[in-house]
């Protein structure tokens, strides 16, 4: 331990043939075992313990380093950005949960914590996909089967088995290029769509009828076969 007992200090012997790799920009990556419903990474660590991987870098010679996790190393990649989600529940999501755009992984959750009475999640977006993060993005929990009653009948959508087991976060990309510092994480795609609908300058109208037509809450409102709204409630 350090003198103030806030850090753990470890000492390692490096073979002389690798001494020239010990520079200020060199990174020691902490390799940890990860066990999930979809597989096991670094299974040997469960027996032998975690280990460090040396990632050579440039700079001046150095003999003191701070071990970092993969997520911290990824943050140092050019263009990578961090975004924060706020929600009322963790929805069973955990460290490493994938962020998907059109089914393609573009990032992952790096931290989950409590902030006052809400759940705060930090996600890291890969640099090559950073342009997808815009001012009006809507993020929602994905990975569960969906059933929706439309004018053409009952539509059921079942995601791939891996997403059913682990859960994921999907999003829509829209708005200006300037990303916000914080986004709301919605429990489902329908709630995210409703939030967007309510903030898009929509108008509410009331219809009267002698009897209740064959419609239900959420039924689409069509104009020339295009959906322009939906039934929000009836009484």
């Amino acid at each position: 331990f350090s003198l103030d007992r806030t850090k753990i200090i470890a000492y390692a012997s490096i073979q002389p043939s690798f001494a020239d790799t010990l520079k200020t920009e060199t990174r020691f990556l902490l390799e940890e075992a990860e066990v999930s419903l979809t597989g096991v990474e670094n299974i040997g660590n469960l027996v032998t313990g975690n280990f460090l991987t040396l990632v050579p870098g440039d700079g001046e010679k150095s003999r003191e380093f701070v071990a970092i996790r993969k997520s911290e190393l990824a943050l140092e990649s050019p263009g990578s950005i961090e975004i924060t989600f706020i929600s009322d529940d963790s929805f069973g999501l955990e460290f490493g949960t994938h962020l998907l755009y059109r089914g393609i992984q573009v990032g992952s959750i790096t931290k989950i914590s409590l902030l006052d009475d809400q759940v705060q999640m930090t996600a890291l977006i890969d640099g090559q996909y950073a342009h997808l993060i815009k001012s009006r993005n809507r993020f929602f929990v994905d990975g569960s089967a969906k059933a929706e009653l439309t004018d053409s009948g009952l539509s059921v959508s079942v995601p791939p088995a891996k997403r059913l087991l682990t859960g994921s976060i999907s999003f829509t990309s829209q708005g200006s290029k300037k990303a916000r510092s914080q986004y709301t994480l919605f429990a489902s795609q329908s709630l995210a769509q409703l939030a967007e609908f309510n903030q898009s300058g929509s108008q509410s109208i009331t219809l009267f009828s002698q009897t209740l037509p064959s419609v239900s809450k959420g039924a689409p409102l069509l104009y020339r076969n295009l959906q322009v709204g939906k039934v929000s409630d009836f009484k």
Side-chain angles (χ1 to χ4, degrees):
F1 285 98
S2 58
L3 294 178
D4 57 3
R5 298 180 179 272
T6 60
K7 299 178 181 179
I8 296 177
I9 300 176
Y11 298 90
S13 298
I14 305 296
Q15 295 183 16
S17 57
F18 293 96
D20 60 338
T21 64
L22 301 179
K23 299 181 179 180
T24 52
E25 295 183 13
T26 295
R27 295 291 182 265
F28 283 86
L29 185 61
L30 180 62
E31 300 283 0
E32 302 171 289
E34 295 183 9
V35 182
S36 68
L37 294 173
T38 58
V40 180
E41 184 177 344
N42 295 332
I43 189 173
N45 295 29
L46 298 176
V47 178
T48 62
N50 298 332
F51 63 91
L52 297 172
T53 294
L54 188 152
V55 182
D58 298 323
E60 302 296 326
K61 290 183 178 180
S62 178
R63 292 297 183 268
E64 293 185 2
F65 302 91
V66 177
I68 61 175
R69 290 184 166 87
K70 290 182 179 179
S71 58
E72 296 175 79
L73 180 64
L75 187 59
E76 297 178 2
S77 301
S80 296
I81 61 173
E82 272 190 338
I83 58 175
T84 300
F85 302 128
I86 294 294
S87 63
D88 295 327
D89 196 282
S90 68
F91 306 116
L93 304 178
E94 56 187 17
F95 174 86
T97 294
H98 294 172
L99 262 73
L100 307 178
Y101 181 73
R102 300 184 184 272
I104 302 297
Q105 182 182 353
V106 301
S108 60
I109 295 295
T110 58
K111 183 180 179 181
I112 300 179
S113 59
L114 279 175
L115 179 64
D116 297 327
D117 197 35
Q118 289 186 307
V119 177
Q120 178 177 279
M121 302 183 191
T122 302
L124 179 66
I125 306 298
D126 191 275
Q128 62 179 316
Y129 301 114
H131 66 280
L132 296 173
I133 308 303
K134 299 179 180 179
S135 61
R136 293 179 54 208
N137 280 19
R138 299 291 173 183
F139 295 86
F140 54 91
V141 179
D142 200 5
S144 59
K146 304 183 186 70
E148 184 177 0
L149 185 61
T150 67
D151 59 315
S152 58
L154 182 64
S155 175
V156 179
S157 174
V158 180
K162 183 176 180 180
R163 286 164 62 181
L164 275 174
L165 290 172
T166 61
S168 59
I169 295 175
S170 294
F171 63 95
T172 61
S173 178
Q174 54 192 10
S176 65
K177 295 182 179 180
K178 185 176 181 180
R180 291 159 52 188
S181 60
Q182 183 174 289
Y183 294 88
T184 299
L185 178 61
F186 297 95
S188 65
Q189 184 177 9
S190 59
L191 290 176
Q193 291 174 335
L194 181 61
E196 179 185 0
F197 183 75
N198 289 339
Q199 295 183 11
S200 61
S202 58
Q203 181 179 356
S204 297
I205 61 174
T206 302
L207 305 178
F208 294 91
S209 174
Q210 295 296 325
T211 59
L212 179 66
S214 57
V215 297
S216 59
K217 189 173 181 178
L221 176 66
L222 305 179
Y223 177 71
R224 296 187 178 181
N225 253 1
L226 295 177
Q227 182 173 350
V228 297
K230 61 183 177 180
V231 176
S232 60
D233 201 359
F234 58 86
K235 61 183 178 179

